[in-house]
Amino acid sequence: MKTLETIFAEKLLKVKAIKLQPENPFTWASGWKSPFYCDNRKTLSYPDLRSFVKIELTRIILEQFADADAVAGVATGAIAQGALVADALGLPFVYVRSKPKDHGLENLIEGELKPGMKVVVVEDLISTGGSSLKAVEAIRQNGCDVVGMVASYTYGFDVAAEAFKKADVRLVTLTNYDAVVNAALHTGYITEAHLSLLHQWRKDPAHWES
């Protein structure tokens, strides 16, 4: 029987939400060069896949973060998924900006969180974990407790694992780097020849060059 990680990895590959280009690497916003790019927002354009993500994230929250009484999405990628999940759970929803709005009320958190609320954070993907954990800090500074974070995908970088451990945040994802690479190999999206390059990149992405 296929695992959730494998099933979702195959679905992401099918709609090209994940692209693997070992010979023609992408440049991330951080400046890192990468043979790998993930855009979970593409799932929103496919009703069946959108529902799949909503149902599975909701299930994880019910099973592992059942004490949550509010949902927070991280802007911008996880706003839609977070709202869908909050609706399924019947819970209040807010989203957290990367920086305060530069006009009006200058909000960092859009929506209303009351001090003492237990919040589960929804993210689309985890790379270094920096932006995700900034959202966690904003929620904590608002007087709330972050019970955990759910995300569609993680690259599984050591730097992210260390950051989440230091911040005392438990992260649960639908799929991950290993599942995606295995699915890509199984379906012929990549070949055995690409594996060493991909694993080399993942080991030290900040200094990788193709």
Side-chain angles (χ1 to χ4, degrees):
M1 180 181 292
K2 292 182 179 179
T3 64
L4 170 62
E5 289 86 356
T6 297
I7 292 169
F8 189 45
E10 291 175 349
K11 289 179 181 293
L12 290 176
L13 287 164
K14 185 176 181 180
V15 301
K16 296 182 171 60
I18 286 178
K19 293 185 178 181
L20 299 174
Q21 294 181 185
E23 287 88 10
N24 184 25
F26 302 96
T27 301
W28 286 0
S30 62
W32 288 5
K33 296 290 184 180
S34 171
F36 201 128
Y37 189 80
C38 180
D39 184 4
N40 285 305
R41 287 168 292 194
K42 286 196 74 171
T43 63
L44 295 169
S45 298
Y46 299 86
D48 288 346
L49 186 50
R50 185 175 67 220
S51 294
F52 179 89
V53 173
K54 177 185 71 174
I55 290 167
E56 291 302 326
L57 289 177
T58 299
R59 178 186 58 78
I60 289 172
I61 293 171
L62 289 172
E63 290 179 355
Q64 304 201 37
F65 305 111
D67 55 342
D69 50 27
V71 176
V74 180
T76 58
I79 293 176
Q81 285 93 339
L84 288 167
V85 168
D87 190 59
L89 292 167
L91 294 178
F93 175 72
V94 303
Y95 69 86
V96 187
R97 295 176 175 273
S98 58
K99 58 183 180 180
K101 192 165 59 174
D102 60 5
H103 59 279
L105 298 176
E106 300 182 351
N107 292 333
L108 180 58
I109 298 175
E110 296 290 359
E112 184 177 2
L113 285 179
K114 298 177 181 178
M117 276 186 160
K118 294 181 178 180
V119 182
V120 62
V121 180
V122 176
E123 181 62 289
D124 63 335
L125 68 86
I126 308 295
S127 53
T128 64
S131 59
S132 306
L133 292 174
K134 283 182 180 178
V136 168
E137 182 60 26
I139 293 165
R140 286 173 170 169
Q141 288 182 356
N142 202 71
C144 297
D145 177 29
V146 174
V147 297
M149 184 180 297
V150 296
S152 294
Y153 174 80
T154 178
Y155 285 101
F157 295 139
D158 289 342
V159 64
E162 292 168 6
F164 274 83
K165 183 177 180 181
K166 184 177 180 180
D168 193 25
V169 177
R170 188 156 69 94
L171 171 67
V172 183
T173 64
L174 298 185
T175 194
N176 51 61
Y177 168 88
D178 289 329
V180 167
V181 170
N182 288 337
L185 183 64
H186 180 72
T187 57
Y189 192 91
I190 60 171
T191 67
E192 290 277 358
H194 293 126
L195 289 182
S196 61
L197 181 148
L198 287 167
H199 293 333
Q200 183 183 30
W201 162 75
R202 183 170 175 258
K203 187 176 181 180
D204 189 11
H207 303 100
W208 179 83
E209 292 185 7
S210 59

